[in-house]
Amino acid sequence: EDDADAVPADDSFAAEFVKQIIDQMGLHSVDVKASVLDDVLYISLTGEEVGALIGKRGRTLDSLQYLASIVQNKNTEKYTRVLINAESYREKRENTLRSLARKNAAKVRKYGRNVVLEPMNPFERRIIHSEIQGMENVFLFIKNSKWCINRITI
């Protein structure tokens, strides 16, 4: 997103949609910047009130990104991926998840018992998987049933 080749896209459908949502929420101190790089629309949110847009464990931000993607790609032939970040939340969450994976892998090795993690979206599961895949004697199981959706067991 920080690449010098990024093209401003503040007038994109998704960016306009996000601005409308923010206005409707009454969050007047949030700044929206959008740019396109390699067919990905990056929307960056900054300001004092972005916490309301992140939500618990980023769920509100994920939902906003999903809806913005639908708006951006409605009635278009070429799909554009939409990524929304608020005050570098996604990078911070990735670091937290990597740390969580390492900590729980150490517990599994030490005590020899499985650890079940909270339900996660595909992006978060991928981070956990990539952190653990190179570790010896540590395995991941993803349970995806009607009663227990997307839980990772280390």
Side-chain angles (χ1 to χ4, degrees):
E1 179 186 352
D2 296 328
D3 196 298
D5 295 333
V7 176
D10 293 329
D11 61 347
S12 66
F13 293 123
E16 288 299 322
F17 170 77
V18 170
K19 289 174 190 174
Q20 289 175 4
I21 294 292
I22 290 169
D23 285 343
Q24 291 294 316
M25 292 176 71
L27 305 176
H28 304 293
S29 70
V30 176
D31 188 36
V32 178
K33 297 277 188 226
S35 60
V36 175
L37 180 64
D38 297 329
D39 295 326
V40 178
L41 175 62
Y42 295 95
I43 300 175
S44 176
L45 309 175
T46 55
E48 295 174 14
E49 300 174 300
V50 294
L53 294 166
I54 295 171
K56 186 176 182 180
R57 293 196 180 101
R59 290 194 179 110
T60 305
L61 191 62
D62 289 342
S63 297
L64 183 61
Q65 179 174 292
Y66 173 73
L67 293 172
S69 179
I70 290 172
V71 168
Q72 182 67 30
N73 291 295
K74 185 178 180 181
N75 300 326
T76 61
E77 295 197 14
K78 184 179 177 191
Y79 179 79
T80 301
R81 186 169 177 210
V82 177
L83 295 176
I84 300 179
N85 202 352
E87 295 286 349
S88 301
Y89 170 79
R90 299 222 185 259
E91 291 83 359
K92 293 171 190 170
R93 180 71 175 153
E94 181 175 346
N95 291 336
T96 299
L97 289 169
R98 289 188 184 284
S99 175
L100 178 75
R102 289 189 302 272
K103 182 178 93 176
N104 282 301
K107 276 186 187 179
V108 167
R109 280 195 196 120
K110 183 174 182 179
Y111 299 112
R113 294 192 179 155
N114 293 346
V115 174
V116 179
L117 302 179
E118 66 195 42
M120 296 179 189
N121 65 39
F123 173 75
E124 292 177 335
R125 288 194 307 273
R126 208 170 8 255
I127 292 168
I128 297 288
H129 184 266
S130 71
E131 191 66 24
I132 288 185
Q133 73 181 14
M135 297 179 180
E136 289 185 32
N137 300 323
V138 179
F139 305 95
L140 288 180
F141 302 95
I142 298 177
K143 186 173 183 179
N144 195 1
S145 72
K146 190 178 359 178
W147 299 278
C148 183
I149 299 172
N150 301 325
R151 286 193 183 265
I152 295 179
T153 302
I154 300 174

